[in-house]
Amino acid sequence: MTDHDVPSTSRDAVDPEPWKRNAAAGLAFLRRRLTGDYQVDDFGYDEDFTRHVLMPPLRLLYDKWFRIETIGMENVPAGGALLVANHSGTVAVDAVMTAMAVADHHPDRRALRMLGADLVFDTPVLGPLARKAGNTLACNPDAERLLSSGELVAVFPEGFKGVGKPFSQRYKLQRFGRGGFVSAAVRTGVPIIPVSIVGAEEIYPMLANIKPLARALGLPYFPVTPTFPLLGPLGAIPLPSKWYIEFGEPIPTDGFAEGAAEDPMVVFDLTDHVRETIQQTLYRLLTLRGHPFLG
Amino acid sequence: MAGMTVLVTGVTRYLGSALAGRLAADPRVDRVIGVDATMPEPAARARMGTAEFARTDIRNPLIARVLEAAEVDTVVHASASATPASSAARSMVKEMNVIGTMQLLAACQRSPGVRNLVVRSTTAVYGASSRDPAIFTETTRPRSEPTRGPGRDAVDIEGYIRGFGRRRPDVRIAVPRLADILGPTVLTPLTRYLSLSPLVPTILGLDARLQVVHERDAVGVLEHLALGDFAGTVNVAGDGSLMLGQAIRRAGRVPFPVPGIAVGGLGRAFRALRIGGFSAEQLRALTAGRVVDTTVLKEEAGYQPEFSTMAAFDDFARTLTPAVHPDLIRSAEQRLAHTLRLDTGPDQVDAPEAEGRLP
């Protein structure tokens, strides 16, 4: 992956006015978009767009709003790996921030290819954006294709059960699906990296869930937070909690016998192991953080 | 395999006529008979080269007599799953595609001389929904099979082919599933849509991956399958993909996003104004976003497409007159940079672009 945001030091030396270069780069970007002169991969990942349009505002949120600190980035390899993370926060901001962490703070500034719910890809505007950012539907064929081509894939096995859980249940991991992600990792022989995210639970504390409204709108839940729907659009502003994202030690999956990916015992054991690791790390990070907002 | 006799359907269209011409020029082939219900136009006749033409409707049982009289051993049904060049009535297209294929298969079944059968299918059989994997392999079972339109026809046709295969296990059957064909010569709903100028309607909030196969590769793969020994179903598409909005820009046009609910009305308006190239159904199909895996094509069938999706698209776009010329945008960029005294030579302006390209 190339990188266009961080200018090389040699160019800094000869260029006394960085804004000029930024403006020129912006114009060049605009020209590329207007003439269609860019590349997307088979999944629709548009690196040019992601790095230049999506990431800059998210970077502000990451650095200034949530003051995110990462731990254990050295555990994220240069090749294929499956990141498995806890999921929380009513809106899946945690997923986006994890992608930012890897894109900005991994030595190779890697793209994180996340697996999302079909609801995401069903939604106009959001669905195409999610694809442009490199994400795809959570299904084994896509996961295995990405993993075997050496990509970094992230999955949030709690799904809506995790993001949509009430505030009182914060940092209590929900059920980890059926372990489809473990089969994908075992089949492709890539390590699983448990990722523990602390801080996302407090951004939109979900006090209640208006189920009839959720059903009417076809949503998995309709949240009531201290600011939403009370303050209307202002309720969309997340609370500025302090975040930690820890990338745990890789769990190897290449030592298994043939057919282990279909063996429910192997899959359940690995799933439990990953889940337990994340749960323990969450408790440890919570103590480390102290106050949710002052951190 | 000396002395093959090949029957090619749909020779009034580009694919059939170009294929007939290529096969006729092949030393392994003795005789090529091109059939269609109407006479081919001079351009198509010229593409057919030394191939013979027989005016026969494949829906007519007479086709069986052509097969037997000429002792045809290889049948290439190139007109199956063809997209109409004009906005022909849907029922007519279905009739030609489905009933035509049934009749042709029945005729083949009765002709003991037929050893090889190639029937063109389309990647539309995968349908497309946001619940499907991003990339389809030949064995992917789509979450929702297409229930109507060309996709449904192709699913039905493939069903009949499987039935034929059970009744005639001695016949080698190859079914290429072709992505949308694009190139300087073909006329398809997609080429007409992209020829709209300067505004090309798209659906607001939807952008989809587009994958195409160059017309020369489409002909090449049918020829390869007719003369080769591959049996089975195979996806055919150029490598890579591009986004619909990006494609419209590359063709020097401007995407015009229309709210999803207004697309039907717009389609009717276009029809009323007799502006071809746009229909709501087609636009919905285009925004489905379908990309197929072509590993089987390259590794098992042994065919390497000459054009990537991007190259095929650009080869087609060259034939269009751009409404907004890319040079215009480039010079505007340079003028603006100059006015703002950004002092960037063209090399510096282009530098981020070179970096922005994926390897």
Side-chain angles (χ1 to χ4, degrees):
Chain A
M1 292 293 145
T2 52
D3 147 39
H4 347 269
D5 297 312
V6 175
S8 67
T9 42
S10 63
R11 233 195 261 171
D12 268 339
V14 295
D15 190 357
E17 288 175 288
W19 74 268
K20 282 193 175 178
R21 200 185 48 251
N22 287 343
L27 279 179
F29 173 77
L30 219 68
R31 187 232 324 134
R32 286 199 298 280
R33 301 318 287 193
L34 289 178
T35 53
D37 189 11
Y38 53 91
Q39 303 260 333
V40 297
D41 78 357
D42 283 353
F43 289 86
Y45 172 45
D46 186 339
E47 191 192 3
D48 194 28
F49 180 80
T50 305
R51 297 263 177 191
H52 290 112
V53 176
L54 292 180
M55 287 194 168
L58 293 172
R59 188 168 292 124
L60 280 179
L61 205 59
Y62 183 99
D63 288 332
K64 306 286 183 240
W65 197 254
F66 299 130
R67 293 108 52 216
I68 300 179
E69 287 178 44
T70 60
I71 302 167
M73 189 58 86
E74 68 277 3
N75 289 324
V76 180
L82 180 66
L83 272 59
V84 181
N86 59 313
H87 210 13
S88 61
T90 308
V91 179
V93 181
D94 51 354
V96 181
M97 290 298 127
T98 310
M100 280 306 296
V102 178
D104 274 3
H105 301 283
H106 190 273
D108 299 339
R109 297 180 47 106
R110 300 197 65 184
L112 189 61
R113 316 297 298 264
M114 297 185 287
L115 305 180
D118 43 16
L119 180 71
V120 172
F121 300 99
D122 265 338
T123 314
V125 185
L126 181 65
L129 266 184
R131 279 219 177 277
K132 276 189 210 290
N135 310 308
T136 191
L137 183 73
C139 60
N140 277 55
D142 281 3
E144 284 162 33
R145 185 179 292 273
L146 284 166
L147 287 171
S148 50
S149 53
E151 296 283 352
L152 210 54
V153 178
V155 66
F156 301 83
E158 293 172 273
F160 288 120
K161 298 187 301 298
V163 238
K165 66 180 179 295
F167 190 58
S168 56
Q169 296 274 307
R170 61 189 176 280
Y171 299 114
K172 289 203 181 82
L173 284 188
Q174 304 296 302
R175 188 168 59 80
F176 259 27
R178 282 164 285 180
F181 68 95
V182 167
S183 318
V186 171
R187 217 167 279 143
T188 50
V190 301
I192 294 176
I193 295 163
V195 180
S196 316
I197 306 165
V198 155
E201 294 275 19
E202 292 88 7
I203 60 171
Y204 300 112
M206 190 158 130
L207 305 177
N209 173 12
I210 310 179
K211 280 185 183 146
L213 204 52
R215 255 197 304 279
L217 295 171
L219 297 171
Y221 50 86
F222 189 91
V224 177
T225 74
T227 53
F228 182 84
L230 192 67
L231 300 183
L234 284 178
I237 299 173
L239 300 181
S241 53
K242 167 75 184 174
W243 288 39
Y244 285 95
I245 302 179
E246 178 164 337
F247 299 88
E249 284 198 19
I251 301 165
T253 63
D254 49 3
F256 294 103
E258 189 87 11
E262 283 79 37
D263 183 346
M265 279 312 285
V266 171
V267 173
F268 286 145
D269 277 356
L270 259 175
T271 311
D272 268 359
H273 178 42
V274 175
R275 188 170 177 275
E276 205 43 45
T277 309
I278 296 173
Q279 183 69 73
Q280 294 309 323
T281 315
L282 284 177
Y283 290 143
R284 189 162 44 73
L285 286 175
L286 279 170
T287 344
L288 171 78
R289 181 179 68 161
H291 193 280
F293 294 98
L294 306 173
Chain B
M1 287 266 255
M4 288 174 80
T5 304
V6 187
L7 181 116
V8 178
T9 67
V11 289
T12 55
R13 301 292 303 278
Y14 170 81
L15 191 60
S17 56
L19 176 67
R22 291 245 317 236
L23 286 170
D26 194 292
R28 286 170 288 179
V29 178
D30 267 1
R31 194 174 168 199
V32 178
I33 302 154
V35 298
D36 213 323
T38 53
M39 292 296 285
E41 285 177 8
R45 192 72 193 87
R47 275 195 295 268
M48 285 174 68
T50 55
E52 299 160 42
F53 174 73
R55 185 169 174 178
T56 318
D57 191 333
I58 53 168
R59 287 170 297 170
N60 192 314
L62 217 69
I63 191 78
R65 258 192 263 161
V66 178
L67 286 176
E68 246 160 84
E71 290 176 8
V72 170
D73 50 50
T74 302
V75 174
V76 184
H77 189 12
S79 69
S81 311
T83 45
S86 59
S87 48
R90 174 75 196 108
S91 55
M92 187 62 196
V93 177
K94 188 185 174 81
E95 166 97 5
M96 285 303 292
N97 273 339
V98 181
I99 310 299
T101 305
M102 285 177 80
Q103 290 285 358
L104 183 68
L105 289 177
C108 289
Q109 195 183 325
R110 267 177 282 143
S111 309
V114 173
R115 323 290 319 162
N116 309 291
L117 174 68
V118 180
V119 185
R120 167 186 170 190
S121 184
T122 151
T123 56
V125 294
Y126 297 116
S129 82
S130 46
R131 281 146 209 272
D132 284 313
I135 297 162
F136 292 96
T137 65
E138 286 80 356
T139 51
T140 310
R141 286 190 64 99
R143 282 294 181 91
S144 53
E145 264 195 357
T147 50
R148 56 204 166 104
R152 181 72 244 173
D153 292 355
V155 169
D156 290 344
I157 288 172
E158 288 195 8
Y160 297 133
I161 299 167
R162 277 193 295 277
F164 173 84
R166 280 192 293 273
R167 289 186 292 275
R168 283 288 303 272
D170 57 315
V171 176
R172 176 184 68 91
I173 305 172
V175 181
R177 288 177 178 158
L178 268 64
D180 280 312
I181 303 175
L182 218 53
T185 327
V186 284
L187 280 176
T188 68
L190 180 62
T191 64
R192 289 160 59 88
Y193 167 71
L194 290 165
S195 305
L196 293 171
S197 184
L199 297 178
V200 179
T202 59
I203 301 179
L204 185 70
L206 289 182
D207 199 2
R209 292 162 297 148
L210 204 65
Q211 200 184 31
V212 298
V213 57
H214 192 272
E215 55 188 30
R216 229 153 59 209
D217 280 324
V219 175
V221 81
L222 286 183
E223 184 195 21
H224 182 84
L225 292 174
L227 303 178
D229 52 13
F230 174 83
T233 306
V234 55
N235 291 332
V236 182
D239 285 339
S241 69
L242 74 171
M243 305 301 288
L244 182 61
Q246 180 188 12
I248 293 170
R249 296 274 187 202
R250 278 184 94 84
R253 277 136 174 79
V254 182
F256 177 61
V258 180
I261 42 167
V263 169
L266 191 73
R268 281 191 292 279
F270 268 65
R271 233 187 343 268
L273 294 168
R274 293 181 182 279
I275 304 173
F278 177 80
S279 76
E281 299 77 45
Q282 185 212 332
L283 188 55
R284 293 218 174 83
L286 271 179
T287 42
R290 189 167 41 228
V291 168
V292 296
D293 181 296
T294 53
T295 313
V296 173
L297 176 70
K298 291 172 200 160
E299 288 175 9
E300 288 175 41
Y303 185 85
Q304 178 68 46
E306 186 188 337
F307 289 82
S308 69
T309 283
M310 187 80 95
F313 184 84
D314 288 347
D315 196 38
F316 156 74
R318 259 194 289 283
T319 62
L320 301 174
T321 321
V324 185
H325 205 281
D327 288 342
L328 209 73
I329 295 171
R330 251 173 242 132
S331 68
E333 179 203 4
Q334 269 156 24
R335 237 174 312 159
L336 203 59
H338 187 72
T339 321
L340 294 172
R341 295 178 197 287
L342 296 178
D343 296 321
T344 50
D347 50 327
Q348 254 191 322
V349 172
D350 277 333
E353 177 200 29
E355 286 170 25
R357 289 224 174 110
L358 293 172

